[in-house]
Amino acid sequence: MLELSETQEMIRATVREFAEKEVAPKAAEIDRTQRFPVETFRRMAELGLLAIPLPEEYGGAGADYLSYVLAMEELARVCASTALTLAAHYSLGTWPIYGFGSEATKRRYIPDLAGGRKIGAYGLTEPNAGSDAGGTRTTAIRKGDRYILNGSKTFITNGTYADSFVVSAKSDPSAQGSRGISAFVLEKGWKGFTVQKGKEKLGMRGSDWAELYFQDVEVPVENRLAPEHQGFQVFMKTLDAGRISIGALGVGIAQGALEAATAHARERKAFGQPIGSFQAVGNMIADMATEVRAARLLVYSAAKLKDEGKPHTAEGAMAKLFSSEVAMRATHSAIQVYGGYGFVNEYPVERFYRDAKLCEIGEGTSEIQRIVIARHVLGRFEEGG
Ligand SMILES: Cc1cc2nc3c(=O)[nH]c(=O)nc-3n(C[C@H](O)[C@H](O)[C@H](O)COP(=O)(O)OP(=O)(O)OC[C@H]3O[C@@H](n4cnc5c(N)ncnc54)[C@H](O)[C@@H]3O)c2cc1C
């Protein structure tokens, strides 16, 4: 399973080199200053990393999903904020347009997003609708060939810098729950659409986020994705795939923590010996290495299912759930291996620890992943299964 094709190996090597030379040196600075590194985004575009699995005719790299997962892992190994920027841009801000847009809509938005001339974002979460995304209060009322949007979105990654936004809104206010929702592509600068930079974050501080406000925003009918009132599937299918990439984000963070802890355990001496020679420290390293490998296998196998066109909802949720928890445990242990030095921002492990927490929240919390997995295993009770 860990055997990669030549193309996959090449993509991994290219991203590793880029990550080590150009992303890692900025990771601490963008975390400290909460700066979104636009220049890194442009470089990712030059390297063809912004739409790895999309066909070349739309500006993508024409590779597979596993290749994208490898790129995510390599970026997260040195800078999780940069990896999250890519995930929000590709998995959330670009893929739904490719998966559900008309040919004209795809041609209008995707080449610019894939080429990095535009930045993408995804607005599902609202102040009162996160896990319960079907509880969206933003409305889209149809008036002839337009919809009039009113409402707001919160925690939207890339929001301050994004040019296009895939957004959910209730187009049939009389429908219950997740029914009656439609999906739309909105553009920055449209009348009544305002963006406000988000609050200071615990982690992922080099990734941008924002609040979105819609006041009588006119959206042309052709900017709707999927049939009217059937937009919820756009967001759920997007998350099915996106969660695999968040799994890769967790694996990358955990790998970075493992490597840092290993190097420190070899160099740091106590009682006249490298601390790695103490069994208690060795056990932490052994557990980290074992869990990282298991998480990686789950993530790659979910990506492979997706590449083969097979169902991957539960497997993607398992990959995300497990990798997120592995990232939390690995970064926690890495700080322990560093001792007091793990507590200061001179070393990357405290950043890894703060960044890892996002994996247990974004694109569905760990509690929601367990619901998805349990439903898959148990079947839906109301269906008698
Ligand atoms: C850094 C960051 C970036 C993000 N980027 C984006 C983005 O780009 N676009 C976007 O749309 N959103 C984004 N989000 C939002 C994210 O998807 C939501 O925060 C997440 O889905 C949880 O929703 P909530 O914050 O409303 O929490 P809530 O839904 O209020 O959950 C609070 C707690 O209750 C638990 N809970 C809720 N319902 C259940 C249940 N049925 N069973 C068991 N437990 C339950 C949750 O697991 C959690 O522990 C981002 C969040 C973060 C932190």
Side-chain angles (χ1 to χ4, degrees), residues 70-226:
L70 296 171
M72 280 293 297
E73 189 187 331
E74 289 300 328
L75 290 170
R77 176 176 161 264
V78 302
C79 179
S81 290
T82 300
L84 183 63
T85 299
L86 174 61
H89 174 78
Y90 174 69
S91 305
L92 305 183
T94 304
W95 185 81
I97 304 176
Y98 176 74
F100 296 94
S102 67
E103 195 51 37
T105 308
K106 288 190 217 180
R107 299 273 170 206
R108 175 153 180 209
Y109 290 103
I110 294 180
D112 280 344
L113 289 164
R117 293 177 291 283
K118 298 277 167 72
I119 299 179
Y122 172 90
L124 177 63
T125 307
E126 298 186 0
N128 291 300
S131 303
D132 180 15
T136 184
R137 291 190 190 169
T138 295
T139 53
I141 303 305
R142 186 150 181 179
K143 289 235 164 91
D145 62 353
R146 327 226 119 209
Y147 290 87
I148 310 299
L149 258 70
N150 279 288
S152 66
K153 299 285 168 183
T154 191
F155 304 143
I156 308 309
T157 301
N158 296 349
T160 319
Y161 296 85
D163 301 280
S164 60
F165 301 76
V166 175
V167 162
S168 64
K170 196 100 180 168
S171 46
D172 177 4
S174 65
Q176 295 297 306
S178 60
R179 293 196 182 90
I181 286 174
S182 295
F184 301 95
V185 185
L186 269 62
E187 292 180 26
K188 177 174 82 175
W190 280 359
K191 195 160 171 274
F193 178 15
T194 49
V195 174
Q196 191 184 320
K197 198 170 173 53
K199 296 198 171 84
E200 185 165 350
K201 299 196 200 86
L202 167 76
M204 298 291 187
R205 291 162 57 93
S207 138
D208 173 70
W209 68 357
E211 314 285 305
L212 315 180
Y213 300 97
F214 316 118
Q215 196 179 357
D216 295 328
V217 180
E218 290 190 21
V219 182
V221 166
E222 58 267 26
N223 274 45
R224 194 189 67 227
L225 304 174

